[in-house]
Amino acid sequence: MYQVVPGGAGGTITDVIPKQKHTKDTRSLVGAGVIGLILVIAAVTAWCYYIASLRKAELLKTQLLDLNKDGYIIRNQGGSIVFKMDFRSGTLDLDSCSKDGEVLSCDRTTDRKLNFFIITVRPKDPVQCYRVRWEELVPDIPVEHAMTYEFGHWYGGAVTANQHWPISISGQQAPKPFVTNDIYSNRNEFGGILESYWLSSNATAIKINNSVPFHLGWNDTEKTMYFQARYNDSSFKPNPGEAPVAELSYRVCVGSDVTSIHKYMVRRYFNKPYKVPAVDMFRHPIWSTWALHKNDIDQEKLLMYAANISKYNFNCSHLELDDRYTRHYGDYEFDPVKFPNASAMFSKLESYRFLVSLWIHPFVNYESENFHTCVEKGFFVREPTGRLPALVRWWNGIGGILDFTNPEARDWFASQLRSLRTKYGVSSFKFDAGETNYLPWKFSTKIPIRDPSFFTRRYTEMAIPYNDRAELRSGYQSQNISCFFRPIDRDSVWGYELGLKSLIPTVLTISILGYQFILPDMIGGNGYLNHTSGIRALPDRELYIRWLELSAFMPSMQFSIPPWEYDHEVVEIAQKYTALHESIVAPRVLELASEVLHTGDPIVRPLWWIATSDETAYKIDSQFLIGDDLMVAPVLEPGKQERDIYLPAGHWKSYKGERFNIEKPLHLTDYPVDLDEIAYFVWVK
């Protein structure tokens, strides 16, 4: 033993065992022990992380939804993924996330603070809904989520110039304002009737909240639709006094089948009409002067038009006197040159039991005496500063557009319509335009509005006093206006771009958006050679006949180019189908119309409405149902006197008397349909 001498640096005396020199084997054992210890520590650490990750994964689940840093997925009751949304605004910091009951919330991305939550809403089974909200806290940062659309066929959104059923997405589009537009003039925009609602064949639906400054884009390579909220470089505006802080909020609901989930969404989130329009609007055709005479209409031509309707023994809901019966656009009195005795004309038409509606619009051109009145009284929509009225260009010139958020402007416009009704006995009005593309960029209104399409809503409200026979071509949150809504003008062509083939997809889309009193456009289209030419030309005879047959199975019919412009055979076909519409279609439609007030269910329905498990039915765009028991399959191709028909399983009787009692769907190949026929089938018990 060695002894340490007292008084050293440590100040202590200690017995020490001298170090021994390790052998090679001893060093190996020590090294192995250290490695083993490290492995044990690593295993314990990995296990702890694994347990933590399991707890975090469990934390970020709610019912059938799984949240991750980049988005979330939703499964159906069978475990299949039916909905996938990716976050394009940032990556969630999952450490900032927590769960409280049915609420998942996070307050950070990887680089900034935010408010984010998903709340599970459990209505009656089998519907499961989720409220999603992503709110930025810094102004002018957009919020964008990307929905994958490859899990099913999608429907809804907006009418478009090139309409397909289901929605057909092609190319790439950066998010743009989801607002109403005149797609006859702007064919790549969203149409005049739209709602931020989409429905999928896999029984999933999404409804964007109306408060969102909503922009929509897409990418067909990624198979995604971009849902974006932003104020920067947009026609949307925050409320006065509020910072332009974007919020994207919406609901996603999953059900057992597409029909039931749509019924749920319509009942919960859509307005309903409060009354049914005039019965004659369903039973008898409307006769418009537009396609036949365009703006070259006068008193003599209108009286002759009415005389020919009687001469050829057609019924008439009402006559529609279209553009242009005034001297200037914005006048509310008849042009004394074109209509030298308007009062006598109306009296004569009334004696023949013709009701008359007038074409009307929200514009006052600068040539009109009313332009100066509206400027002085502040009735026009104004430029962004709000100091000056804005001049706008529309298809009939330049003028101001009435500000329907201004109560005084509304009263003035309404008084002009009342005056026409009182003086001449006008029955109603055809309200044209109303889309937001006619508003100036960054416009100003008497009562500020965040969403430009709310201007459309305010305009549609002007039709309420005349809704028995009123007609609107634009709509946004306007389902309760209780009027007939007309898709934008069609060209006299066969195809999907505003042609005959677009009619069924357009009507089905409008129906899904909650607008059930639908007036398809004029039979045969507008009579232009094409959409840029003003030259008058009769539509192709075969096209006109096929259009007529299809229109007979719509909620209402509208003639403009009359059948006697062709020949006696076309007149007879027209008489046959107006009679068929009155006897077979109108009674069914009227029965369904009364149900719409309570349910909002479509009158015109897709085939999948009664065949929710039938994959083929989801893709059919050339057949439709009236209610559940009348299936229609028109010929939509030139030169064809046959077509393929898809019959869902059930008990059907054809218009020819054939019976089909089938347990599985049936394809009828090259089913013969003569030129004066349309194939339809009735459900029989």
Side-chain angles (χ1 to χ4, degrees):
M1 298 287 289
Y2 294 96
Q3 188 176 33
V4 177
V5 177
T12 59
I13 299 173
T14 308
D15 291 334
V16 178
I17 301 174
K19 293 182 180 180
Q20 298 180 1
K21 187 176 181 180
H22 292 291
T23 65
K24 184 176 181 181
D25 291 342
T26 302
R27 289 196 299 269
S28 297
L29 288 172
V30 171
V34 171
I35 293 172
L37 180 60
I38 292 172
L39 290 174
V40 169
I41 294 171
V44 171
T45 303
W47 176 256
C48 291
Y49 275 112
Y50 174 68
I51 294 298
S53 66
L54 286 179
R55 289 175 179 171
K56 178 59 73 174
E58 187 62 30
L59 175 70
L60 299 180
K61 289 177 180 287
T62 177
Q63 302 303 327
L64 303 172
L65 181 147
D66 295 349
L67 175 68
N68 61 66
K69 62 185 178 64
D70 297 314
Y72 62 90
I73 61 171
I74 300 175
R75 303 177 188 273
N76 61 18
Q77 295 289 348
S80 299
I81 296 176
V82 294
F83 190 83
K84 183 175 185 291
M85 188 75 86
D86 295 327
F87 302 142
R88 298 296 176 91
S89 309
T91 301
L92 289 180
D93 178 358
L94 296 184
D95 289 333
S96 76
C97 300
S98 61
K99 184 177 181 182
D100 183 7
E102 299 295 344
V103 182
L104 284 175
S105 60
C106 309
D107 58 21
R108 284 195 62 84
T109 66
T110 54
D111 62 356
R112 64 185 183 276
K113 290 185 177 182
L114 83 161
N115 291 329
F116 172 82
F117 67 72
I118 297 176
I119 299 177
T120 302
V121 182
R122 292 189 62 83
K124 293 182 179 179
D125 288 338
V127 176
Q128 180 73 66
C129 291
Y130 305 90
R131 289 174 54 200
V132 183
R133 179 183 175 189
W134 179 304
E135 180 188 13
E136 291 290 345
L137 301 180
V138 178
D140 293 328
I141 295 180
V143 183
E144 183 173 307
H145 292 180
M147 183 190 78
T148 301
Y149 61 77
E150 64 182 351
F151 295 111
H153 305 290
W154 286 86
Y155 314 91
V159 296
T160 56
N162 213 317
Q163 197 88 49
H164 292 274
W165 181 271
I167 295 170
S168 176
I169 294 176
S170 61
Q172 289 81 44
Q173 172 62 56
K176 60 183 179 179
F178 190 70
V179 295
T180 59
N181 285 275
D182 175 355
I183 52 173
Y184 199 80
S185 301
N186 306 284
R187 301 209 169 193
N188 293 320
E189 299 298 326
F190 307 114
I193 299 175
L194 81 162
E195 303 291 336
S196 52
Y197 168 72
W198 288 267
L199 176 71
S200 169
S201 59
N202 62 19
T204 307
I206 180 169
K207 176 69 177 72
I208 311 297
N209 288 356
N210 294 332
S211 60
V212 172
F214 183 54
H215 297 65
L216 179 66
W218 54 85
N219 187 315
D220 65 348
T221 303
E222 297 179 350
K223 306 297 182 187
T224 54
M225 293 171 64
Y226 303 138
F227 295 159
Q228 187 188 81
R230 78 167 191 264
Y231 292 110
N232 189 34
D233 189 30
S234 171
S235 54
F236 287 87
K237 294 175 284 191
N239 287 327
E242 291 184 358
V245 176
E247 171 197 316
L248 180 60
S249 54
Y250 53 89
R251 292 174 185 254
V252 181
C253 294
V254 181
S256 59
D257 64 77
V258 62
T259 301
S260 63
I261 192 64
H262 178 67
K263 284 174 174 280
Y264 171 80
M265 298 297 286
V266 168
R267 283 157 176 73
R268 193 169 182 87
Y269 301 117
F270 283 11
N271 295 320
K272 310 293 186 302
Y274 67 91
K275 62 174 288 188
V276 176
V279 170
D280 280 353
M281 284 278 286
F282 297 92
R283 288 180 176 167
H284 302 145
I286 299 160
W287 297 80
S288 169
T289 63
W290 172 248
L292 181 64
H293 295 296
K294 301 297 189 291
N295 54 20
D296 188 27
I297 187 65
D298 59 32
Q299 182 169 323
E300 181 181 354
K301 290 174 181 175
L302 180 63
L303 290 172
M304 179 60 69
Y305 194 44
N308 280 328
I309 295 170
S310 298
K311 174 183 175 181
Y312 289 100
N313 298 314
F314 286 100
N315 289 320
C316 176
S317 167
H318 59 268
L319 276 173
E320 200 168 72
L321 177 54
D322 213 297
D323 182 16
R324 157 181 184 179
Y325 55 90
T326 61
R327 289 181 60 209
H328 304 112
Y329 294 106
D331 294 350
Y332 297 94
E333 185 52 83
F334 282 86
D335 182 341
V337 175
K338 299 175 74 174
F339 295 86
N341 197 338
S343 295
M345 178 188 73
F346 273 87
S347 296
K348 188 171 185 179
L349 290 170
E350 183 181 3
S351 70
Y352 293 142
R353 298 187 177 180
F354 280 103
L355 300 177
V356 180
S357 70
L358 298 180
W359 175 75
I360 206 73
H361 53 81
F363 307 103
V364 179
N365 280 12
Y366 65 85
E367 302 97 338
S368 171
E369 291 182 3
N370 287 324
F371 181 84
H372 306 287
T373 300
C374 293
V375 169
E376 291 172 1
K377 295 187 176 182
F379 289 167
F380 288 143
V381 172
R382 306 177 82 80
E383 46 78 44
T385 67
R387 293 192 294 267
L388 295 171
L391 286 179
V392 299
R393 181 180 294 278
W394 61 298
W395 67 90
N396 276 329
I398 298 174
I401 184 168
L402 292 168
D403 179 1
F404 292 102
T405 74
N406 183 344
E408 293 180 354
R410 291 166 66 91
D411 289 344
W412 180 82
F413 182 73
S415 71
Q416 306 304 313
L417 304 190
R418 285 195 302 271
S419 177
L420 287 167
R421 171 177 264 187
T422 301
K423 187 172 182 179
Y424 298 108
V426 173
S427 66
S428 192
F429 296 91
K430 172 185 177 178
F431 291 82
D432 214 352
E435 299 90 352
T436 66
N437 62 289
Y438 293 111
L439 297 169
W441 179 252
K442 296 286 186 179
F443 62 93
S444 173
T445 51
K446 180 76 172 181
I447 299 176
I449 55 178
R450 301 177 63 187
D451 182 346
S453 292
F454 197 70
F455 179 86
T456 299
R457 162 71 196 188
R458 281 286 177 252
Y459 178 56
T460 61
E461 291 170 352
M462 302 308 298
I464 291 175
Y466 309 99
N467 53 22
D468 271 358
R469 284 183 165 81
E471 173 187 329
L472 288 158
R473 85 170 195 189
S474 57
Y476 175 67
Q477 302 176 35
S478 304
Q479 297 93 336
N480 64 328
I481 301 300
S482 300
C483 293
F484 269 85
F485 285 82
R486 173 183 64 89
I488 195 74
D489 299 44
R490 307 284 113 173
D491 287 326
S492 299
V493 296
W494 290 89
Y496 283 104
E497 184 177 340
L498 295 180
L500 178 60
K501 283 187 177 180
S502 73
L503 200 55
I504 295 174
T506 299
V507 170
L508 289 174
T509 298
I510 294 172
S511 296
I512 289 297
L513 299 180
Y515 297 87
Q516 310 310 341
F517 307 140
I518 301 171
L519 175 64
D521 194 43
M522 302 162 290
I523 291 168
N526 56 25
Y528 290 139
L529 289 176
N530 56 57
H531 68 271
T532 60
S533 169
I535 301 173
R536 178 182 177 276
L538 284 179
D540 174 74
R541 182 179 185 272
E542 181 187 9
L543 173 68
Y544 183 88
I545 292 171
R546 292 305 191 190
W547 208 306
L548 163 64
E549 293 163 352
L550 171 56
S551 294
F553 285 86
M554 291 291 165
S556 188
M557 300 179 70
Q558 185 178 48
F559 285 100
S560 190
I561 294 175
W564 53 83
E565 289 287 304
Y566 291 92
D567 51 51
H568 182 66
E569 182 184 12
V570 175
V571 171
E572 288 185 331
I573 293 173
Q575 290 168 338
K576 169 184 173 181
Y577 281 99
T578 53
L580 182 146
H581 175 85
E582 183 176 358
S583 62
I584 294 179
V585 179
R588 280 179 168 82
V589 169
L590 282 165
E591 182 179 352
L592 294 164
S594 63
E595 297 175 6
V596 167
L597 308 184
H598 309 289
T599 68
D601 288 348
I603 292 173
V604 180
R605 301 173 181 176
L607 260 61
W608 52 250
W609 192 265
I610 61 170
T612 57
S613 60
D614 188 344
E615 175 64 23
T616 301
Y618 288 115
K619 297 177 285 186
I620 292 178
D621 67 351
S622 63
Q623 299 175 220
F624 61 95
L625 296 162
I626 300 290
D628 289 344
D629 62 351
L630 177 58
M631 196 274 288
V632 187
V635 173
L636 304 174
E637 298 279 352
K640 298 287 188 181
Q641 296 199 27
E642 68 282 323
R643 64 156 292 164
D644 295 342
I645 295 174
Y646 186 76
L647 272 182
H651 307 282
W652 299 98
K653 181 180 179 181
S654 78
Y655 69 106
K656 299 178 181 180
E658 306 150 311
R659 287 185 176 269
F660 300 90
N661 299 312
I662 48 178
E663 296 181 359
K664 295 181 180 180
L666 177 65
H667 289 271
L668 301 175
T669 306
D670 292 333
Y671 188 83
V673 186
D674 291 341
L675 180 59
D676 65 343
E677 294 180 330
I678 182 172
Y680 63 93
F681 300 77
V682 178
W683 183 279
V684 291
K685 296 181 180 179

